Amino acid sequence: MSGVYPKDFKYTKTHEWIKVTGNIGRVGLSNFAQDHLGEIVFVELPEVGAELKQGESFGVVESVKAVSDCYAPASGKVVRVNEKLVDSPELINSDPHGEGWLFEMELSDPSELDNLMDVEAYEKFEAEEEAAH
Amino acid sequence: MVHSPYLPNTEADRRAMLAELGLESVEDLFRDIPEKVRFRGSLDLPPALSEPELLTHMKTLAGRNANASEWALFLGGGAYDHFIPSVVGHVIGRSEFYTAYTPYQAEVSQGVLQTIYEYQSLITRLTGMDVANASMYDGASAMAEAALIACAATRRKKVVVPSTVSPEYRETIRTYTAGQRIEVVLAPYDGETGTADLSELEKLVDGDTAAVLLQHPNYFGCLEDPEEVSRLAHGVGALFVIGVDPISLGVLRAPGEYGADIAVGEGQPLGNPLSFGGPYLGFFAATEKLIRRMPGRIAGATVDKDGDRGFVLTFQTREQHIRREKATSNICSNEALNALAAAVYLTVMGREGLVEVAKLCLHKAHYTRERLSALPGFRTPFRAPFFKEFVVSGPRPLEELNRSLAQRRMLVGPDLGRHYPELEGSFLVAVTEKRTRAEIDGLADGLGGLA
Amino acid sequence: MSGKGYVYKNEPLIFELSAPGRRAYSLPALDVPASDLAEVLPEDQLRREPAALPEVSEVDVVRHFTRLSQRNHGVDLGFYPLGSCTMKYNPKVNEVVANLDGFTGVHPLTPEELVQGALQLMYEMQGYLAEIGGVDEVSLQPAAGAHGEFTGVSIIRAYLEDRGEGHRHKIIIPDSAHGTNPATAVVAGCRTVEVKSDERGGVDLESLKAVVDEDVVCLMLTNPNTLGLFDENIHEIAEIVHEAGGLLYYDGANLNATMGYARPGDAGFDVVHFNLHKTFATPHGGGGPGSGPVGVKKELADFLPVPVVRKTGDRYFLDYSVPKTIGRVKSFHGNFGVVVKAYAYIRSMGPDGLKRVSEDAVLNANFLMRKLARDYHLTYDRICKHEFVVSGVRQKERYGVKTLDIAKRLLDYDFHAPTVYFPLIVPEALMVEPTETESRETLEAFAEAMAAIAREAAEDPDKVTGAPHTTFVKRLDEARAVRQPDVAFKGDLEEK
């Protein structure tokens, strides 16, 4: 799946991505995650102001017959959520790395990002996961 | 040798099938059961009966039960002898409905799915709520599940329940909430009115309260003040859960109008027979906001790939088969056929008929109370308005009264002393549209002689 | 199911058939003096507008629901091999006897001396189930299997608490378990721990040993399990759990496989639930009612829900004095109307008949499994019990045909589909339970349809992925049903 994943994102083993601009991180689900869930029909987003810790569950995404927990790629405070997803959760399917973003957070410890995978590492990880399915 | 009309395989079939499997005997199919746990005896059960023998035996058992077709039942306490139109039995007796499973394959289950959708629609119209599920086991378990949902929705661990809620409901709520260590606080009732003591209730409802659970009409048949209790609950951020008699909604305001978050109730009066306590159905309706927390099945309308209307089970990710330990409830099988009976009943009665049934109950119950309260030795202790059921205290224990009434093929009850020691000697009298003036007068005559 | 041209393609909603002034009811006139409504009911309690229920004639009602019934598959129409659901034939005499006035018309709070027939039936049923399950006492109160699970786990927790072991809070559940098991555990206030299956499909003993400790409440097990396999290590499993002070819970969903051959109580299970709507031939009603009685060993009998039916001399009575009862799980005495049908079934089968039921259920399953194994991948190749699981992985990998497509294509062949995508440990699972009430010819016809679909998957995959083609509605948009929820008709009725 080379070329699908943006180069300036960081990725988790639970298939979330984060894109950092200054001290703000925008969070979303990877193409692999949306593909495996199928048609997404509902997203439970965190509340603005919520304090999240890296690796903590912040919500769920649902397809018709599956539910998946989502985990925060970094620690920090939620400052904005993607309101468009409330009415159009399918944006996660159609544009997972763009219009389908989930929320933005103010990072409390940017050094945590070192724990995440860069695009090369994630592409390799994703290929292994794909083979295992 | 076993001969059963339900087992089509003949000895020849069995031999041929075993041969195809390369096996010698049926025993070979059970070799995987270790000897240590293998049952080698013969089950100690009565020998098989033929169909005519079975019919005779069952008729004998059935013949030893006082039943509504021969008795005038003034019994209440959560189950009521309402009239069931013939159409109801006709529809639920169609085996396309009753021999189906839960509609997992929507394309060949449109009949069941559309009837569930219609049932949900009828319940929302009756209760004035936004959404309803496909049914729960009964009114008691529906209220218990509502308590659990309120705790999950508010992240609080206390529910407040007036003692005017049915004792059976309260016991069920306690069992359901015990494991999750939810506190169930009992609120007292006003001995004059027979309704929840609102000033006491106000003291018990606080910021830790997940829900206030009310029954209306309550177990004594009395009308509560749901508007006030709704205000109390919402004032502290708790949910307001109400249990209602569906027939009463022919004349009483709908829960949606006084701010209920969840409306539940016993659906038995809607076209389901008394059946010695079950199967009944619990209806469960809620505000739109709570749809993702609702327990049980929900049918929804959608379209097929040609764009034609069709129905499916929806919001399934709430349910145990997908969400497993994170499901909103563990319910799987519900009371679908009873819900179908309720849907047919509400359709048959329709807009006007339900009002008429409710009024017949109301007038007859009031006439009955008038007659009984005039009898020497009998009192009606509570003064709150009521619908179809009321409390009577008599001069003798209920057991004695019923023994005498039984000679007229009539019964009243249940007794209230077991659950309300202060009401020793009091009992319930329920009057449905089925009771005739002759029966009511007969009841008054029967009791009148016992003072 | 197909080609019934005289039935409307789209049956309207009952609300869409409503016309002002029509009525389908007939009630007697009021024969007592009328009260003044405004006087007996407070003004603010009165309903201002009647509920917007439809106004239709009796003919409208009957045609509407009859037409809907025809848009539905049921056991009386054809084969229904839904795994773990035991869709066997529902004998008609049981419906007849359950509809006797002496059962349907009985109020649950009638004085006991006037319901001796009903109590006798319940008392005897408690005994029959205890005998079949190898347990000591039975409560008929739970309304369904999951309700029985909740009752059983509550009993176990109360029992442990009574022994000063209330701290125990872990329930062990195999990865092949029904979803109700973990959901039940959490409703009962426990935490779930999953245990893996071994390569023969049973509980992996090493994984089990690794998770049992002083916090274990119980292991919930279905045996035979959802793969249709009898756990050969059941004795060792029981020892491991009991050793740790935990109990064994038997999910009775699959009891149809072993009646008269193995009793859960003899295998070390402490608490058992029965699904009368599966094993004992009561109809599923399109989703219910069921009945899920719970049986226990005598150490746990003091915790059963109340009331239990007992007998003194020749008089039957409802015993509310169970000393440490967990209380109630519903009103009254259980789904009596369902119990009547199951009772009639047991009486008409007798001990030899029930054993024969299990034999034929197992023989039918093995016969069908061997036939399907020709075209579909068989994950666990060993003798099965009443059901088995094959996988559509081959069809998915080679032709892009998913198990869901195969299930939908079966509908075109007039068969209900098996349970799909369950158990979760088998990818593209098809879980098939033929039951004992199907003939060899039916099994062969089903096997032929499955073989034909396997051929279609290879030669004309679009035919399968586009299925069903012949049903009243085509494949339905389930995503839309969540994204644009429509769970109740909000339209207005036709005005006067």
Side-chain angles (χ1 to χ4, degrees):
Chain A
M1 280 293 229
S2 168
V4 171
Y5 296 101
K7 299 224 181 311
D8 52 341
F9 288 14
K10 293 276 207 168
Y11 300 87
T12 68
K13 288 195 168 173
T14 44
H15 305 286
E16 293 84 13
W17 54 258
I18 183 165
K19 177 191 182 189
V20 180
T21 317
N23 69 333
I24 298 291
R26 177 175 275 202
V27 178
L29 296 180
S30 79
N31 183 61
F32 177 91
Q34 72 78 18
D35 188 48
H36 279 260
L37 271 163
E39 276 186 279
I40 290 168
V41 294
F42 176 70
V43 197
E44 181 189 88
L45 294 168
E47 296 199 358
V48 170
E51 293 280 354
L52 299 174
K53 285 207 172 62
Q54 187 177 43
E56 185 187 357
S57 166
F58 65 76
V60 294
V61 281
E62 293 183 10
S63 61
V64 172
K65 288 198 175 139
V67 190
S68 183
D69 281 301
C70 304
Y71 302 93
S75 306
K77 187 163 89 175
V78 176
V79 293
R80 200 171 143 216
V81 297
N82 186 357
E83 299 285 355
K84 276 193 201 163
L85 295 182
V86 177
D87 288 326
S88 308
E90 62 273 19
L91 287 173
I92 299 173
N93 292 118
S94 57
D95 191 7
H97 306 134
E99 287 277 293
W101 63 279
L102 302 177
F103 66 90
E104 288 177 348
M105 67 197 304
E106 204 174 276
L107 302 178
S108 58
D109 180 7
S111 73
E112 281 176 346
L113 298 172
D114 299 342
N115 305 335
L116 305 180
M117 287 178 272
D118 62 17
V119 68
E120 287 79 21
Y122 184 69
E123 279 173 356
K124 193 158 161 271
F125 175 74
E126 188 253 32
E128 284 163 14
E129 290 268 291
E130 188 70 65
H133 264 79
Chain B
M1 184 78 86
V2 172
H3 292 286
S4 164
Y6 321 136
L7 298 174
N9 286 341
T10 63
E11 286 305 321
D13 287 325
R14 283 165 44 117
R15 276 195 302 275
M17 291 164 81
L18 284 167
E20 208 174 308
L21 291 169
L23 299 175
E24 307 231 318
S25 71
V26 168
E27 179 63 28
D28 291 340
L29 292 166
F30 292 90
R31 275 180 316 204
D32 53 348
I33 301 180
E35 195 52 40
K36 267 186 187 160
V37 303
R38 178 69 191 268
F39 180 70
R40 287 291 178 186
S42 176
L43 290 172
D44 183 15
L45 298 171
L49 297 175
S50 67
E51 185 169 337
E53 289 165 328
L54 180 71
L55 281 163
T56 304
H57 174 66
M58 297 303 281
K59 281 178 186 162
T60 306
L61 289 176
R64 292 187 194 137
N65 306 316
N67 69 79
S69 67
E70 292 159 359
W71 290 59
L73 301 179
F74 291 89
L75 290 163
Y80 303 93
D81 179 26
H82 286 285
F83 177 69
I84 302 175
S86 307
V87 175
V88 176
H90 171 83
V91 171
I92 65 166
R94 286 199 69 96
S95 68
E96 297 92 330
F97 284 132
Y98 80 73
T99 72
Y101 200 76
T102 303
Y104 289 138
Q105 292 293 337
E107 296 85 352
V108 291
S109 309
Q110 285 298 298
V112 165
L113 284 161
Q114 185 169 335
T115 61
I116 296 173
Y117 177 87
E118 291 181 356
Y119 162 82
Q120 291 170 181
S121 305
L122 291 159
I123 293 296
T124 58
R125 282 158 187 259
L126 192 61
T127 57
M129 305 299 289
D130 302 324
V131 292
N133 77 4
S135 71
M136 310 296 289
Y137 305 134
D138 68 354
S141 63
M143 190 177 265
E145 295 249 17
L148 294 184
I149 278 149
C151 290
T154 58
R155 297 176 190 225
R156 298 176 183 178
K157 288 231 151 193
K158 180 172 112 177
V159 295
V160 181
V161 194
S163 57
T164 51
V165 169
S166 158
E168 304 223 358
Y169 281 36
R170 285 186 276 122
E171 286 169 10
T172 305
I173 293 164
R174 278 192 196 283
T175 313
Y176 266 73
T177 52
Q180 296 181 32
R181 310 276 186 249
I182 292 163
E183 192 189 351
V184 181
V185 178
L186 200 62
Y189 68 89
D190 180 329
E192 297 274 300
T193 59
T195 60
D197 183 330
L198 293 181
S199 59
E200 289 299 316
L201 187 66
E202 185 154 22
K203 288 181 207 155
L204 296 168
V205 175
D206 58 23
D208 294 330
T209 307
V212 182
L213 314 175
L214 191 71
Q215 195 178 5
H216 168 70
N218 67 25
Y219 189 66
F220 302 141
C222 298
L223 301 190
E224 296 278 2
D225 186 348
E227 188 116 18
E228 185 56 23
V229 179
S230 175
R231 196 191 56 77
L232 258 174
H234 292 145
V236 297
L239 299 192
F240 176 43
V241 176
I242 189 145
V244 287
D245 172 351
I247 300 290
S248 76
L249 296 180
V251 289
L252 294 181
R253 279 177 81 196
E257 285 182 41
Y258 46 75
D261 298 286
I262 301 176
V264 297
E266 177 52 69
Q268 178 269 328
L270 305 174
N272 283 277
L274 289 163
S275 208
F276 203 42
Y280 293 172
L281 75 143
F283 59 86
F284 191 111
T287 57
E288 187 128 44
K289 220 169 50 193
L290 288 170
I291 191 166
R292 287 183 173 276
R293 295 196 182 272
M294 290 233 287
R297 317 272 188 221
I298 301 173
T302 184
V303 294
D304 72 1
K305 67 177 187 186
D306 296 343
D308 288 319
R309 179 166 67 192
F311 301 87
V312 292
L313 291 177
T314 189
F315 292 104
Q316 290 194 67
T317 50
R318 298 165 296 113
E319 292 187 72
Q320 47 75 28
H321 61 284
I322 293 177
R323 219 180 202 117
R324 298 175 79 82
E325 69 275 4
K326 290 182 182 160
T328 54
S329 162
N330 73 334
I331 191 169
C332 183
S333 282
N334 53 25
E335 308 289 308
L337 200 66
N338 305 88
L340 174 58
V344 178
Y345 178 85
L346 287 170
T347 300
V348 168
M349 300 321 290
R351 184 185 154 95
E352 305 297 332
L354 191 78
V355 177
E356 209 172 311
V357 172
K359 285 186 178 166
L360 284 171
C361 292
L362 182 99
H363 293 309
K364 289 179 184 226
H366 282 76
Y367 174 71
T368 310
R369 190 165 99 148
E370 208 166 285
R371 294 283 334 249
L372 299 192
S373 61
L375 297 174
F378 288 84
R379 276 189 323 114
T380 49
F382 298 135
R383 62 174 163 76
F386 68 103
F387 170 57
K388 71 176 182 197
E389 191 170 18
F390 55 91
V391 176
V392 176
S393 33
R396 298 194 204 178
L398 176 68
E399 229 179 299
E400 265 181 59
L401 301 179
N402 266 338
R403 216 169 291 140
S404 171
L405 287 175
Q407 289 162 16
R408 296 170 180 257
R409 297 204 162 219
M410 286 183 176
L411 293 168
V412 293
D415 181 62
L416 292 169
R418 203 173 93 217
H419 296 290
Y420 302 90
E422 72 281 7
L423 294 176
E424 190 69 56
S426 297
F427 53 90
L428 291 170
V429 175
V431 189
T432 68
E433 76 283 5
K434 273 181 76 177
R435 299 287 70 84
T436 61
R437 181 170 192 157
E439 289 168 349
I440 296 166
D441 292 344
L443 175 70
D445 288 350
L447 289 175
L450 297 168
Chain C
M1 303 296 302
S2 58
K4 292 193 178 95
Y6 58 87
V7 175
Y8 291 155
K9 176 155 175 60
N10 281 308
E11 174 63 16
L13 293 170
I14 192 70
F15 304 99
E16 294 163 345
L17 296 168
S18 177
R22 291 232 171 93
R23 58 165 58 186
Y25 68 95
S26 155
L27 288 167
L30 184 65
D31 59 354
V32 301
S35 313
D36 181 356
L37 222 60
E39 204 169 281
V40 298
L41 294 181
E43 162 83 45
D44 61 353
Q45 297 262 26
L46 287 178
R47 189 164 193 141
R48 289 181 199 98
E49 199 42 46
L53 306 179
E55 294 179 85
V56 287
S57 71
E58 180 166 324
V59 185
D60 296 327
V61 180
V62 169
R63 286 201 180 135
H64 174 68
F65 287 104
T66 302
R67 282 176 182 151
L68 286 180
S69 78
Q70 294 186 336
R71 300 158 70 85
N72 220 58
H73 188 78
V75 174
D76 281 5
L77 283 162
F79 191 41
Y80 213 132
L82 204 55
S84 266
C85 300
T86 316
M87 293 299 285
K88 60 170 76 178
Y89 171 70
N90 311 124
K92 299 310 158 201
V93 65
N94 300 350
E95 298 300 311
V96 170
V97 297
N99 277 315
L100 292 170
D101 288 341
F103 294 133
T104 56
V106 187
H107 192 284
L109 301 174
T110 308
E112 284 162 8
E113 64 272 20
L114 296 173
V115 288
Q116 286 294 299
L119 293 176
Q120 180 185 342
L121 185 150
M122 290 176 71
Y123 179 83
E124 289 177 358
M125 188 65 172
Q126 289 172 183
Y128 300 162
L129 292 175
E131 171 67 10
I132 293 165
V135 289
D136 298 307
E137 292 217 31
V138 169
S139 162
L140 302 175
Q141 195 173 98
H147 208 209
E149 290 177 28
F150 173 71
T151 307
V153 171
S154 299
I155 288 170
I156 293 174
R157 287 206 83 193
Y159 165 80
L160 290 171
E161 196 140 342
D162 188 58
R163 289 166 44 120
E165 296 180 58
H167 67 277
R168 289 179 179 264
H169 64 278
K170 268 168 60 171
I171 293 188
I172 305 173
I173 292 166
D175 55 8
S176 61
H178 298 118
T180 50
N181 294 172
T184 296
V186 171
V187 174
C190 298
R191 199 163 64 75
T192 58
V193 182
E194 195 171 270
V195 60
K196 297 232 166 308
S197 299
D198 65 16
E199 72 283 353
R200 284 184 58 75
V203 171
D204 186 85
L205 293 182
E206 293 312 311
S207 315
L208 179 62
K209 283 179 195 159
V211 296
V212 291
D213 57 23
E214 66 283 355
D215 287 334
V216 168
V217 173
C218 65
L219 165 71
M220 296 181 84
L221 196 65
T222 311
N223 192 28
N225 63 21
T226 60
L227 297 161
L229 304 173
F230 193 91
D231 204 310
E232 297 151 320
N233 299 321
I234 183 59
H235 191 68
E236 290 72 18
I237 291 168
E239 277 186 352
I240 293 168
V241 177
H242 284 150
E243 194 84 352
L247 272 60
L248 235 67
Y249 182 90
Y250 180 86
D251 177 330
N254 294 347
L255 181 63
N256 206 43
T258 57
M259 282 187 292
Y261 277 90
R263 306 192 306 173
D266 299 341
F269 286 96
D270 304 286
V271 180
V272 173
H273 87 250
F274 304 84
N275 295 76
L276 301 190
H277 49 293
K278 296 181 181 180
T279 316
F280 300 100
T282 75
H284 288 68
S291 174
V294 164
V296 297
K297 292 286 181 62
K298 56 177 176 300
E299 307 83 72
L300 294 141
D302 283 351
F303 301 88
L304 285 171
V306 284
V308 179
V309 184
R310 298 199 200 277
K311 188 180 180 186
T312 166
D314 53 7
R315 182 178 169 270
Y316 301 91
F317 67 102
L318 293 163
D319 184 2
Y320 289 89
S321 67
V322 177
K324 298 165 186 167
T325 176
I326 57 162
R328 291 190 158 275
V329 292
K330 73 186 289 293
S331 293
F332 310 124
H333 329 306
N335 279 352
F336 176 78
V338 180
V339 171
V340 172
K341 295 176 193 180
Y343 173 94
Y345 178 71
I346 292 174
R347 294 301 307 257
S348 58
M349 298 312 288
D352 300 335
L354 291 180
K355 192 173 176 186
R356 173 72 176 243
V357 161
S358 288
E359 286 174 7
D360 282 1
V362 171
L363 178 59
N364 277 358
N366 278 280
F367 181 75
L368 190 54
M369 175 173 79
R370 284 298 145 204
K371 291 201 179 301
L372 298 199
R374 291 173 196 160
D375 298 300
Y376 298 88
H377 177 66
L378 183 60
T379 316
Y380 300 92
D381 192 354
R382 48 181 273 205
I383 281 182
C384 68
K385 294 271 82 59
H386 66 304
E387 68 186 3
F388 60 92
V389 176
V390 291
S391 163
V393 278
R394 232 178 264 166
Q395 285 69 25
K396 185 182 174 193
E397 273 166 21
R398 291 182 197 164
Y399 316 115
V401 171
K402 295 180 189 158
T403 284
L404 183 70
D405 304 319
I406 295 168
K408 296 300 179 199
R409 183 65 180 141
L410 266 171
L411 309 179
D412 288 330
Y413 285 86
D414 291 350
F415 292 111
H416 195 277
T419 298
V420 290
Y421 299 105
F422 189 82
L424 305 175
I425 56 173
V426 177
E428 300 296 311
L430 285 147
M431 184 199 214
V432 187
E433 179 177 9
T435 85
E436 73 282 1
T437 61
E438 299 301 330
S439 67
R440 176 153 69 119
E441 288 80 355
T442 301
L443 303 181
E444 283 166 347
F446 178 76
E448 275 164 31
M450 286 294 284
I453 294 169
R455 281 195 301 277
E456 289 171 351
E459 292 157 12
D460 188 4
D462 289 350
K463 195 167 203 170
V464 187
T465 54
H469 305 284
T470 58
T471 47
F472 285 113
V473 292
K474 301 295 186 313
R475 218 179 280 197
L476 292 150
D477 187 347
E478 295 189 60
R480 176 185 159 123
V482 186
R483 286 177 185 155
Q484 300 168 47
D486 173 5
V487 298
F489 180 69
K490 301 285 186 197
D492 292 328
L493 300 180
E494 194 189 313
E495 297 280 340
K496 273 193 184 137

